[in-house]
Amino acid sequence: MTVTVIIPTYKPDGKFRKLVKELKNQTYPIEKILILNTEACYWKDALIEGIQQAEVHHITKEEFDHGRTRAMGAAMADTDLLVFFTQDAVPANNKVIECLVKPFADDSIGGAYGRQLPSEDCKFIERYTRSFNYPARSRVKRRENLPELGIKTYFCSNVCAAYRRSAYEKEGGFVTKTIFNEDMILAAHMIQDGYGIVYAADAQVVHSHNYNYIQQFQRNFDLAVSQTDHPEIFAGVSSESEGIRLVKQTASYLLKQKKPWLIPDLILASGFKFLGYKAGQHYRRIPRWLVEKLTMNRAYWKQG
């Protein structure tokens, strides 16, 4: 199957350079690497030196949207599969594309996403969160898994993900105005239409964040906004129970690792996540000036 890789960038740095260098060394051939860069003034051609498949398209900050920008890249591709990375996701080895492609041998698979490993500077609690959200075992998620998995049935991440182009187009592609979660919304449409989404644990990238409490609040605020804007998908499945399970398991893990002093940090971070999520659920009742302080993506609220 033919592959196009699509990467949105904004002020790309050394991690992005590592990403494209690793893409060059992949065991599975990549026809084209489409880079959708926000603001040409932050771009340096040296970042893609020696990468023959790379093609750069510049947009303005006002034009950027998590869904629309990726949809723009998808529209430029004519390959069987559309593979997406974020600019800070570095392949852990040279088999990431190969492992993402493998599940599509089954015609019923619409998408696949990879495992995110913690970076060297990742904090202890976030390392456990990575393993909770991205375990070592692969699995296929389908509509019949909703009673068991709840909202995690729909989980997918464009940090490292592939989609069958025919299924992508059938489902209408990414929503073209969204603050967040364009990957999960598409995956949900695919699952509701009978496709399977594969978590490919052997497709591994190094990617993690050390968010502070305010950033945790803002990220969960945006998450709840996206879910509130798409009740056709998220109204019937709760994500709060999954959050509670994560907190309980993390606390148990900290005790087993004899690091109880990290539990207050866990409680505080979880509290900020919960408050951000609840605020995002009710964002329509919040004054716009305050919304712009609560969000991680202020540019979204300035769009028409």
Side-chain angles (χ1 to χ4, degrees), residues 23-256:
L23 290 178
K24 181 181 179 182
N25 296 327
Q26 292 293 299
T27 56
Y28 197 94
I30 298 169
E31 295 220 343
K32 189 180 293 185
I33 301 172
L34 291 173
I35 298 159
L36 302 171
N37 179 65
T38 301
E39 298 297 348
C41 61
Y42 298 125
W43 177 259
K44 296 177 181 175
D45 286 336
L47 288 165
I48 55 169
E49 186 178 354
I51 314 299
Q52 300 300 320
Q53 310 102 306
E55 185 179 295
V56 185
H57 299 267
H58 297 292
I59 60 173
T60 65
K61 197 169 184 179
E62 290 73 28
E63 291 173 309
F64 175 82
D65 178 274
H66 282 280
R68 182 172 61 244
T69 301
R70 288 176 170 88
M72 184 189 308
M76 296 175 185
D78 59 1
T79 49
D80 300 316
L81 299 179
L82 307 170
V83 176
F84 293 85
F85 287 90
T86 53
Q87 68 183 48
D88 57 349
V90 180
N93 53 53
N94 64 354
K95 295 184 181 297
V96 175
I97 301 297
E98 179 182 332
C99 293
L100 277 178
V101 170
K102 195 187 310 177
F104 293 95
D106 180 343
D107 290 339
S108 72
I109 298 303
Y113 66 101
R115 185 181 184 191
Q116 297 181 33
L117 303 174
S119 55
E120 288 184 7
D121 65 347
C122 186
K123 293 179 181 178
F124 192 83
I125 291 177
E126 178 59 20
R127 283 182 178 274
Y128 181 76
T129 301
R130 293 283 102 180
S131 67
F132 180 89
N133 290 325
Y134 302 96
R137 186 177 178 182
S138 300
R139 74 167 299 165
V140 182
K141 299 181 293 182
R142 299 186 186 274
R143 193 166 43 200
E144 54 266 31
N145 297 121
L146 277 165
E148 170 202 354
L149 298 177
I151 199 165
K152 287 202 84 170
T153 312
Y154 297 150
F155 185 75
C156 183
S157 176
N158 276 342
V159 166
C160 171
Y163 303 93
R164 189 185 301 274
R165 188 164 64 92
S166 58
Y168 170 91
E169 292 174 348
K170 181 182 177 184
E171 301 306 326
F174 295 121
V175 289
T176 54
K177 182 170 170 54
T178 180
I179 192 169
F180 194 43
N181 247 10
E182 78 293 333
D183 37 23
M184 204 164 166
I185 293 166
L186 175 61
H189 284 305
M190 286 184 173
I191 284 173
Q192 290 174 354
D193 208 19
Y195 288 102
I197 297 293
V198 171
Y199 167 57
D202 50 354
Q204 300 176 359
V205 293
V206 178
H207 178 265
S208 59
H209 292 287
N210 289 322
Y211 288 134
N212 61 35
Y213 298 142
I214 298 300
Q215 289 171 322
Q216 297 278 17
F217 180 102
Q218 292 173 324
R219 181 175 175 82
N220 277 50
F221 179 88
D222 292 350
L223 172 65
V225 168
S226 72
Q227 293 185 5
T228 301
D229 283 346
H230 292 275
E232 77 282 2
I233 294 170
F234 298 108
V237 287
S238 171
S239 62
E240 291 176 34
S241 59
E242 187 65 15
I244 293 168
R245 189 167 76 89
L246 171 59
V247 174
K248 287 181 177 178
Q249 289 195 16
T250 306
S252 175
Y253 176 74
L254 291 175
L255 291 172
K256 288 178 183 176

Side-chain angles (χ1 to χ4, degrees), residues 280-299:
Q281 284 183 315
H282 302 286
Y283 81 91
R284 293 189 180 98
R285 302 179 190 175
I286 300 174
R288 178 58 64 89
W289 67 267
L290 182 55
V291 165
E292 290 183 16
K293 293 184 180 297
L294 301 179
T295 182
M296 189 174 268
N297 186 359
R298 292 184 183 180

